[in-house]
Amino acid sequence: MPRFPAFLTGLLPQLFKRPDATVEPANLRDAPRLSQLHRASFHRGWGTEEFEQILIERNALAHRLRLGGSTIGFIVSRTAADEAEILSVAVAQKHRGHGFSRDLLRTHLGHLAGLGLKTVFLEVEENNRPARALYERAGFRVVGRRERYYKDASGEQLNAVVMQRDLL
């Protein structure tokens, strides 16, 4: 184990500590920022109006991820009967890889379970390894595949996998 000078030893926990983020319900005022995050994360980003429409739906559940005073991520689901479908998840590029999406997903799934929902589905681009790893670690499993479901910026058609997780 390396030895550090005393003045560095006191700083090390602060240097490697992940800042605290909070997950809270999203509301209509968040629509412009959620749209901005979505457009930065996906080829076909949703507009503010699309988010406004989703956020006013009675069967939609949305959470925002806040760090300091800024919204750095979100997750949105739609519910029907005892099931939910996660429509989109995004975290700002500079905040990826720090576990924020894991916390966001875990909190959101807890709220879905608290509503009495039994099953959650989602679609993810087949080659999106970070997202698939996130979902697999959260207990999702592949239950289907959609051929040429997505289109990337070059126009190439990409496959999606359908994933499912039981909540109860």
Side-chain angles (χ1 to χ4, degrees), residues 18-21 33 37 41 65-74 90-104:
R18 191 184 83 177
D20 287 332
R33 178 61 179 148
L37 287 164
S41 300
L65 174 66
R66 308 241 329 143
L67 183 62
S70 301
T71 297
I72 63 164
F74 71 87
V91 172
Q93 177 69 39
K94 73 179 188 175
H95 295 290
R96 294 179 190 162
H98 300 286
F100 292 124
S101 57
R102 179 192 64 230
D103 297 343
L104 180 62

PDB file of all heavy atoms in Angstrom, residues 18-21 33 37 41 65-74 90-104:
ATOM      1  N   ARG A  18     -17.826  10.484  -4.569  1.00  0.00           N
ATOM      2  CA  ARG A  18     -18.802  10.870  -5.579  1.00  0.00           C
ATOM      3  C   ARG A  18     -19.729  11.905  -4.966  1.00  0.00           C
ATOM      4  O   ARG A  18     -20.225  11.721  -3.858  1.00  0.00           O
ATOM      5  CB  ARG A  18     -19.599   9.647  -6.010  1.00  0.00           C
ATOM      6  CG  ARG A  18     -20.444   9.930  -7.241  1.00  0.00           C
ATOM      7  CD  ARG A  18     -21.264   8.764  -7.559  1.00  0.00           C
ATOM      8  NE  ARG A  18     -22.440   8.875  -6.697  1.00  0.00           N
ATOM      9  CZ  ARG A  18     -23.445   8.044  -6.727  1.00  0.00           C
ATOM     10  NH1 ARG A  18     -23.419   7.011  -7.506  1.00  0.00           N
ATOM     11  NH2 ARG A  18     -24.478   8.199  -5.945  1.00  0.00           N
ATOM     12  N   PRO A  19     -19.977  13.005  -5.671  1.00  0.00           N
ATOM     13  CA  PRO A  19     -20.897  13.990  -5.112  1.00  0.00           C
ATOM     14  C   PRO A  19     -22.294  13.401  -4.964  1.00  0.00           C
ATOM     15  O   PRO A  19     -22.696  12.533  -5.731  1.00  0.00           O
ATOM     16  CB  PRO A  19     -20.891  15.122  -6.139  1.00  0.00           C
ATOM     17  CG  PRO A  19     -20.209  14.600  -7.346  1.00  0.00           C
ATOM     18  CD  PRO A  19     -19.479  13.350  -6.965  1.00  0.00           C
ATOM     19  N   ASP A  20     -23.012  13.868  -3.972  1.00  0.00           N
ATOM     20  CA  ASP A  20     -24.374  13.379  -3.744  1.00  0.00           C
ATOM     21  C   ASP A  20     -25.324  13.977  -4.761  1.00  0.00           C
ATOM     22  O   ASP A  20     -25.284  15.164  -5.059  1.00  0.00           O
ATOM     23  CB  ASP A  20     -24.840  13.736  -2.333  1.00  0.00           C
ATOM     24  CG  ASP A  20     -24.150  12.892  -1.279  1.00  0.00           C
ATOM     25  OD1 ASP A  20     -23.772  11.761  -1.604  1.00  0.00           O
ATOM     26  OD2 ASP A  20     -23.997  13.373  -0.148  1.00  0.00           O
ATOM     27  N   ALA A  21     -26.166  13.119  -5.277  1.00  0.00           N
ATOM     28  CA  ALA A  21     -27.208  13.544  -6.203  1.00  0.00           C
ATOM     29  C   ALA A  21     -28.534  13.136  -5.598  1.00  0.00           C
ATOM     30  O   ALA A  21     -28.598  12.238  -4.763  1.00  0.00           O
ATOM     31  CB  ALA A  21     -26.999  12.881  -7.561  1.00  0.00           C
ATOM     32  N   ARG A  33     -35.430  21.130 -19.986  1.00  0.00           N
ATOM     33  CA  ARG A  33     -34.141  20.519 -19.621  1.00  0.00           C
ATOM     34  C   ARG A  33     -34.127  19.035 -19.975  1.00  0.00           C
ATOM     35  O   ARG A  33     -33.120  18.520 -20.460  1.00  0.00           O
ATOM     36  CB  ARG A  33     -33.856  20.717 -18.129  1.00  0.00           C
ATOM     37  CG  ARG A  33     -32.574  20.073 -17.658  1.00  0.00           C
ATOM     38  CD  ARG A  33     -31.352  20.620 -18.361  1.00  0.00           C
ATOM     39  NE  ARG A  33     -30.141  19.985 -17.840  1.00  0.00           N
ATOM     40  CZ  ARG A  33     -29.060  19.751 -18.553  1.00  0.00           C
ATOM     41  NH1 ARG A  33     -28.998  20.138 -19.811  1.00  0.00           N
ATOM     42  NH2 ARG A  33     -28.011  19.155 -18.002  1.00  0.00           N
ATOM     43  N   LEU A  37     -31.414  17.218 -22.481  1.00  0.00           N
ATOM     44  CA  LEU A  37     -30.648  16.012 -22.145  1.00  0.00           C
ATOM     45  C   LEU A  37     -30.929  14.893 -23.143  1.00  0.00           C
ATOM     46  O   LEU A  37     -30.013  14.170 -23.554  1.00  0.00           O
ATOM     47  CB  LEU A  37     -30.987  15.544 -20.722  1.00  0.00           C
ATOM     48  CG  LEU A  37     -30.431  16.387 -19.584  1.00  0.00           C
ATOM     49  CD1 LEU A  37     -31.143  16.060 -18.283  1.00  0.00           C
ATOM     50  CD2 LEU A  37     -28.923  16.172 -19.460  1.00  0.00           C
ATOM     51  N   SER A  41     -28.355  12.981 -25.906  1.00  0.00           N
ATOM     52  CA  SER A  41     -28.079  11.562 -25.667  1.00  0.00           C
ATOM     53  C   SER A  41     -28.521  10.636 -26.792  1.00  0.00           C
ATOM     54  O   SER A  41     -28.011   9.524 -26.898  1.00  0.00           O
ATOM     55  CB  SER A  41     -28.777  11.120 -24.371  1.00  0.00           C
ATOM     56  OG  SER A  41     -28.305  11.856 -23.267  1.00  0.00           O
ATOM     57  N   LEU A  65     -32.818  13.645 -12.049  1.00  0.00           N
ATOM     58  CA  LEU A  65     -31.623  13.440 -11.245  1.00  0.00           C
ATOM     59  C   LEU A  65     -30.948  14.796 -11.104  1.00  0.00           C
ATOM     60  O   LEU A  65     -30.593  15.424 -12.104  1.00  0.00           O
ATOM     61  CB  LEU A  65     -30.695  12.442 -11.942  1.00  0.00           C
ATOM     62  CG  LEU A  65     -29.336  12.189 -11.328  1.00  0.00           C
ATOM     63  CD1 LEU A  65     -29.482  11.515  -9.971  1.00  0.00           C
ATOM     64  CD2 LEU A  65     -28.497  11.335 -12.264  1.00  0.00           C
ATOM     65  N   ARG A  66     -30.832  15.269  -9.862  1.00  0.00           N
ATOM     66  CA  ARG A  66     -30.271  16.598  -9.614  1.00  0.00           C
ATOM     67  C   ARG A  66     -28.937  16.481  -8.896  1.00  0.00           C
ATOM     68  O   ARG A  66     -28.774  15.690  -7.985  1.00  0.00           O
ATOM     69  CB  ARG A  66     -31.229  17.429  -8.769  1.00  0.00           C
ATOM     70  CG  ARG A  66     -32.618  17.463  -9.349  1.00  0.00           C
ATOM     71  CD  ARG A  66     -33.217  18.736  -9.765  1.00  0.00           C
ATOM     72  NE  ARG A  66     -32.854  19.920  -9.061  1.00  0.00           N
ATOM     73  CZ  ARG A  66     -32.712  21.089  -9.686  1.00  0.00           C
ATOM     74  NH1 ARG A  66     -32.849  21.175 -10.978  1.00  0.00           N
ATOM     75  NH2 ARG A  66     -32.433  22.158  -8.991  1.00  0.00           N
ATOM     76  N   LEU A  67     -28.002  17.282  -9.351  1.00  0.00           N
ATOM     77  CA  LEU A  67     -26.693  17.383  -8.731  1.00  0.00           C
ATOM     78  C   LEU A  67     -26.462  18.866  -8.497  1.00  0.00           C
ATOM     79  O   LEU A  67     -26.425  19.649  -9.455  1.00  0.00           O
ATOM     80  CB  LEU A  67     -25.618  16.797  -9.640  1.00  0.00           C
ATOM     81  CG  LEU A  67     -24.198  16.768  -9.086  1.00  0.00           C
ATOM     82  CD1 LEU A  67     -24.121  15.891  -7.838  1.00  0.00           C
ATOM     83  CD2 LEU A  67     -23.235  16.259 -10.144  1.00  0.00           C
ATOM     84  N   GLY A  68     -26.356  19.244  -7.226  1.00  0.00           N
ATOM     85  CA  GLY A  68     -26.311  20.670  -6.931  1.00  0.00           C
ATOM     86  C   GLY A  68     -27.642  21.269  -7.353  1.00  0.00           C
ATOM     87  O   GLY A  68     -28.697  20.747  -7.069  1.00  0.00           O
ATOM     88  N   GLY A  69     -27.611  22.322  -8.118  1.00  0.00           N
ATOM     89  CA  GLY A  69     -28.840  22.946  -8.587  1.00  0.00           C
ATOM     90  C   GLY A  69     -29.215  22.559 -10.000  1.00  0.00           C
ATOM     91  O   GLY A  69     -30.129  23.142 -10.568  1.00  0.00           O
ATOM     92  N   SER A  70     -28.517  21.576 -10.573  1.00  0.00           N
ATOM     93  CA  SER A  70     -28.737  21.233 -11.979  1.00  0.00           C
ATOM     94  C   SER A  70     -29.359  19.858 -12.155  1.00  0.00           C
ATOM     95  O   SER A  70     -28.999  18.911 -11.458  1.00  0.00           O
ATOM     96  CB  SER A  70     -27.410  21.244 -12.742  1.00  0.00           C
ATOM     97  OG  SER A  70     -26.810  22.499 -12.674  1.00  0.00           O
ATOM     98  N   THR A  71     -30.253  19.766 -13.124  1.00  0.00           N
ATOM     99  CA  THR A  71     -30.778  18.457 -13.516  1.00  0.00           C
ATOM    100  C   THR A  71     -29.792  17.851 -14.494  1.00  0.00           C
ATOM    101  O   THR A  71     -29.521  18.424 -15.552  1.00  0.00           O
ATOM    102  CB  THR A  71     -32.169  18.603 -14.165  1.00  0.00           C
ATOM    103  OG1 THR A  71     -33.065  19.146 -13.192  1.00  0.00           O
ATOM    104  CG2 THR A  71     -32.699  17.261 -14.646  1.00  0.00           C
ATOM    105  N   ILE A  72     -29.245  16.676 -14.126  1.00  0.00           N
ATOM    106  CA  ILE A  72     -28.227  16.034 -14.963  1.00  0.00           C
ATOM    107  C   ILE A  72     -28.727  14.728 -15.571  1.00  0.00           C
ATOM    108  O   ILE A  72     -27.992  14.070 -16.309  1.00  0.00           O
ATOM    109  CB  ILE A  72     -26.923  15.781 -14.188  1.00  0.00           C
ATOM    110  CG1 ILE A  72     -27.151  14.798 -13.027  1.00  0.00           C
ATOM    111  CG2 ILE A  72     -26.334  17.103 -13.696  1.00  0.00           C
ATOM    112  CD1 ILE A  72     -25.885  14.206 -12.457  1.00  0.00           C
ATOM    113  N   GLY A  73     -29.966  14.344 -15.276  1.00  0.00           N
ATOM    114  CA  GLY A  73     -30.493  13.111 -15.843  1.00  0.00           C
ATOM    115  C   GLY A  73     -31.973  12.969 -15.566  1.00  0.00           C
ATOM    116  O   GLY A  73     -32.564  13.770 -14.834  1.00  0.00           O
ATOM    117  N   PHE A  74     -32.550  11.945 -16.179  1.00  0.00           N
ATOM    118  CA  PHE A  74     -33.975  11.670 -15.992  1.00  0.00           C
ATOM    119  C   PHE A  74     -34.278  10.232 -16.379  1.00  0.00           C
ATOM    120  O   PHE A  74     -33.490   9.569 -17.060  1.00  0.00           O
ATOM    121  CB  PHE A  74     -34.842  12.619 -16.830  1.00  0.00           C
ATOM    122  CG  PHE A  74     -34.760  12.334 -18.304  1.00  0.00           C
ATOM    123  CD1 PHE A  74     -35.595  11.406 -18.903  1.00  0.00           C
ATOM    124  CD2 PHE A  74     -33.833  12.985 -19.090  1.00  0.00           C
ATOM    125  CE1 PHE A  74     -35.511  11.123 -20.258  1.00  0.00           C
ATOM    126  CE2 PHE A  74     -33.739  12.710 -20.441  1.00  0.00           C
ATOM    127  CZ  PHE A  74     -34.579  11.778 -21.031  1.00  0.00           C
ATOM    128  N   ALA A  90     -31.663   9.002 -19.441  1.00  0.00           N
ATOM    129  CA  ALA A  90     -30.490   9.735 -19.924  1.00  0.00           C
ATOM    130  C   ALA A  90     -29.784  10.405 -18.752  1.00  0.00           C
ATOM    131  O   ALA A  90     -30.433  10.870 -17.808  1.00  0.00           O
ATOM    132  CB  ALA A  90     -30.888  10.789 -20.956  1.00  0.00           C
ATOM    133  N   VAL A  91     -28.461  10.437 -18.837  1.00  0.00           N
ATOM    134  CA  VAL A  91     -27.621  11.166 -17.894  1.00  0.00           C
ATOM    135  C   VAL A  91     -26.649  11.979 -18.737  1.00  0.00           C
ATOM    136  O   VAL A  91     -26.128  11.482 -19.742  1.00  0.00           O
ATOM    137  CB  VAL A  91     -26.870  10.213 -16.937  1.00  0.00           C
ATOM    138  CG1 VAL A  91     -25.847  10.965 -16.100  1.00  0.00           C
ATOM    139  CG2 VAL A  91     -27.858   9.481 -16.030  1.00  0.00           C
ATOM    140  N   ALA A  92     -26.418  13.222 -18.354  1.00  0.00           N
ATOM    141  CA  ALA A  92     -25.510  14.095 -19.094  1.00  0.00           C
ATOM    142  C   ALA A  92     -24.160  13.414 -19.286  1.00  0.00           C
ATOM    143  O   ALA A  92     -23.651  12.745 -18.380  1.00  0.00           O
ATOM    144  CB  ALA A  92     -25.340  15.417 -18.361  1.00  0.00           C
ATOM    145  N   GLN A  93     -23.597  13.590 -20.460  1.00  0.00           N
ATOM    146  CA  GLN A  93     -22.355  12.914 -20.849  1.00  0.00           C
ATOM    147  C   GLN A  93     -21.258  13.028 -19.790  1.00  0.00           C
ATOM    148  O   GLN A  93     -20.635  12.035 -19.443  1.00  0.00           O
ATOM    149  CB  GLN A  93     -21.862  13.496 -22.184  1.00  0.00           C
ATOM    150  CG  GLN A  93     -20.543  12.924 -22.663  1.00  0.00           C
ATOM    151  CD  GLN A  93     -20.637  11.471 -23.092  1.00  0.00           C
ATOM    152  OE1 GLN A  93     -21.618  11.076 -23.706  1.00  0.00           O
ATOM    153  NE2 GLN A  93     -19.633  10.687 -22.786  1.00  0.00           N
ATOM    154  N   LYS A  94     -21.038  14.213 -19.268  1.00  0.00           N
ATOM    155  CA  LYS A  94     -19.922  14.390 -18.328  1.00  0.00           C
ATOM    156  C   LYS A  94     -20.158  13.724 -16.977  1.00  0.00           C
ATOM    157  O   LYS A  94     -19.243  13.616 -16.175  1.00  0.00           O
ATOM    158  CB  LYS A  94     -19.580  15.863 -18.158  1.00  0.00           C
ATOM    159  CG  LYS A  94     -20.564  16.675 -17.365  1.00  0.00           C
ATOM    160  CD  LYS A  94     -20.078  18.103 -17.266  1.00  0.00           C
ATOM    161  CE  LYS A  94     -20.919  18.910 -16.312  1.00  0.00           C
ATOM    162  NZ  LYS A  94     -20.382  20.254 -16.136  1.00  0.00           N
ATOM    163  N   HIS A  95     -21.372  13.256 -16.723  1.00  0.00           N
ATOM    164  CA  HIS A  95     -21.683  12.612 -15.442  1.00  0.00           C
ATOM    165  C   HIS A  95     -21.865  11.099 -15.580  1.00  0.00           C
ATOM    166  O   HIS A  95     -22.226  10.438 -14.599  1.00  0.00           O
ATOM    167  CB  HIS A  95     -22.928  13.241 -14.822  1.00  0.00           C
ATOM    168  CG  HIS A  95     -22.733  14.670 -14.460  1.00  0.00           C
ATOM    169  ND1 HIS A  95     -21.921  15.081 -13.426  1.00  0.00           N
ATOM    170  CD2 HIS A  95     -23.218  15.808 -15.022  1.00  0.00           C
ATOM    171  CE1 HIS A  95     -21.924  16.397 -13.361  1.00  0.00           C
ATOM    172  NE2 HIS A  95     -22.702  16.854 -14.316  1.00  0.00           N
ATOM    173  N   ARG A  96     -21.624  10.561 -16.752  1.00  0.00           N
ATOM    174  CA  ARG A  96     -21.772   9.119 -16.950  1.00  0.00           C
ATOM    175  C   ARG A  96     -20.572   8.387 -16.357  1.00  0.00           C
ATOM    176  O   ARG A  96     -19.476   8.922 -16.268  1.00  0.00           O
ATOM    177  CB  ARG A  96     -21.886   8.797 -18.446  1.00  0.00           C
ATOM    178  CG  ARG A  96     -23.157   9.352 -19.034  1.00  0.00           C
ATOM    179  CD  ARG A  96     -23.282   9.069 -20.507  1.00  0.00           C
ATOM    180  NE  ARG A  96     -24.411   9.827 -21.045  1.00  0.00           N
ATOM    181  CZ  ARG A  96     -24.580  10.066 -22.317  1.00  0.00           C
ATOM    182  NH1 ARG A  96     -23.723   9.601 -23.217  1.00  0.00           N
ATOM    183  NH2 ARG A  96     -25.618  10.772 -22.726  1.00  0.00           N
ATOM    184  N   GLY A  97     -20.817   7.152 -15.955  1.00  0.00           N
ATOM    185  CA  GLY A  97     -19.742   6.330 -15.419  1.00  0.00           C
ATOM    186  C   GLY A  97     -19.474   6.527 -13.944  1.00  0.00           C
ATOM    187  O   GLY A  97     -18.477   6.025 -13.419  1.00  0.00           O
ATOM    188  N   HIS A  98     -20.357   7.225 -13.250  1.00  0.00           N
ATOM    189  CA  HIS A  98     -20.171   7.493 -11.817  1.00  0.00           C
ATOM    190  C   HIS A  98     -21.251   6.860 -10.959  1.00  0.00           C
ATOM    191  O   HIS A  98     -21.353   7.163  -9.774  1.00  0.00           O
ATOM    192  CB  HIS A  98     -20.115   8.998 -11.558  1.00  0.00           C
ATOM    193  CG  HIS A  98     -19.001   9.691 -12.270  1.00  0.00           C
ATOM    194  ND1 HIS A  98     -17.679   9.599 -11.883  1.00  0.00           N
ATOM    195  CD2 HIS A  98     -19.020  10.452 -13.392  1.00  0.00           C
ATOM    196  CE1 HIS A  98     -16.934  10.289 -12.716  1.00  0.00           C
ATOM    197  NE2 HIS A  98     -17.719  10.818 -13.643  1.00  0.00           N
ATOM    198  N   GLY A  99     -22.092   6.032 -11.556  1.00  0.00           N
ATOM    199  CA  GLY A  99     -23.132   5.356 -10.791  1.00  0.00           C
ATOM    200  C   GLY A  99     -24.426   6.129 -10.664  1.00  0.00           C
ATOM    201  O   GLY A  99     -25.362   5.658 -10.011  1.00  0.00           O
ATOM    202  N   PHE A 100     -24.521   7.302 -11.269  1.00  0.00           N
ATOM    203  CA  PHE A 100     -25.741   8.094 -11.152  1.00  0.00           C
ATOM    204  C   PHE A 100     -26.934   7.397 -11.803  1.00  0.00           C
ATOM    205  O   PHE A 100     -28.038   7.418 -11.266  1.00  0.00           O
ATOM    206  CB  PHE A 100     -25.565   9.485 -11.765  1.00  0.00           C
ATOM    207  CG  PHE A 100     -24.615  10.368 -11.009  1.00  0.00           C
ATOM    208  CD1 PHE A 100     -23.525  10.933 -11.642  1.00  0.00           C
ATOM    209  CD2 PHE A 100     -24.817  10.646  -9.666  1.00  0.00           C
ATOM    210  CE1 PHE A 100     -22.648  11.751 -10.955  1.00  0.00           C
ATOM    211  CE2 PHE A 100     -23.948  11.469  -8.971  1.00  0.00           C
ATOM    212  CZ  PHE A 100     -22.854  12.019  -9.620  1.00  0.00           C
ATOM    213  N   SER A 101     -26.721   6.792 -12.968  1.00  0.00           N
ATOM    214  CA  SER A 101     -27.840   6.122 -13.648  1.00  0.00           C
ATOM    215  C   SER A 101     -28.327   4.931 -12.834  1.00  0.00           C
ATOM    216  O   SER A 101     -29.526   4.643 -12.806  1.00  0.00           O
ATOM    217  CB  SER A 101     -27.454   5.704 -15.070  1.00  0.00           C
ATOM    218  OG  SER A 101     -26.329   4.869 -15.049  1.00  0.00           O
ATOM    219  N   ARG A 102     -27.434   4.262 -12.149  1.00  0.00           N
ATOM    220  CA  ARG A 102     -27.824   3.141 -11.285  1.00  0.00           C
ATOM    221  C   ARG A 102     -28.750   3.621 -10.172  1.00  0.00           C
ATOM    222  O   ARG A 102     -29.791   3.021  -9.910  1.00  0.00           O
ATOM    223  CB  ARG A 102     -26.572   2.483 -10.690  1.00  0.00           C
ATOM    224  CG  ARG A 102     -26.874   1.327  -9.752  1.00  0.00           C
ATOM    225  CD  ARG A 102     -25.652   0.901  -8.960  1.00  0.00           C
ATOM    226  NE  ARG A 102     -25.249   2.014  -8.094  1.00  0.00           N
ATOM    227  CZ  ARG A 102     -24.005   2.480  -8.012  1.00  0.00           C
ATOM    228  NH1 ARG A 102     -23.035   1.958  -8.708  1.00  0.00           N
ATOM    229  NH2 ARG A 102     -23.728   3.491  -7.207  1.00  0.00           N
ATOM    230  N   ASP A 103     -28.388   4.737  -9.535  1.00  0.00           N
ATOM    231  CA  ASP A 103     -29.217   5.293  -8.464  1.00  0.00           C
ATOM    232  C   ASP A 103     -30.563   5.771  -9.002  1.00  0.00           C
ATOM    233  O   ASP A 103     -31.600   5.573  -8.367  1.00  0.00           O
ATOM    234  CB  ASP A 103     -28.490   6.453  -7.781  1.00  0.00           C
ATOM    235  CG  ASP A 103     -27.203   6.028  -7.097  1.00  0.00           C
ATOM    236  OD1 ASP A 103     -27.016   4.811  -6.856  1.00  0.00           O
ATOM    237  OD2 ASP A 103     -26.373   6.908  -6.813  1.00  0.00           O
ATOM    238  N   LEU A 104     -30.548   6.403 -10.154  1.00  0.00           N
ATOM    239  CA  LEU A 104     -31.768   6.883 -10.791  1.00  0.00           C
ATOM    240  C   LEU A 104     -32.695   5.718 -11.107  1.00  0.00           C
ATOM    241  O   LEU A 104     -33.886   5.745 -10.770  1.00  0.00           O
ATOM    242  CB  LEU A 104     -31.400   7.649 -12.068  1.00  0.00           C
ATOM    243  CG  LEU A 104     -32.523   8.239 -12.903  1.00  0.00           C
ATOM    244  CD1 LEU A 104     -33.305   9.273 -12.119  1.00  0.00           C
ATOM    245  CD2 LEU A 104     -31.925   8.869 -14.164  1.00  0.00           C
TER     246      LEU A 104
END
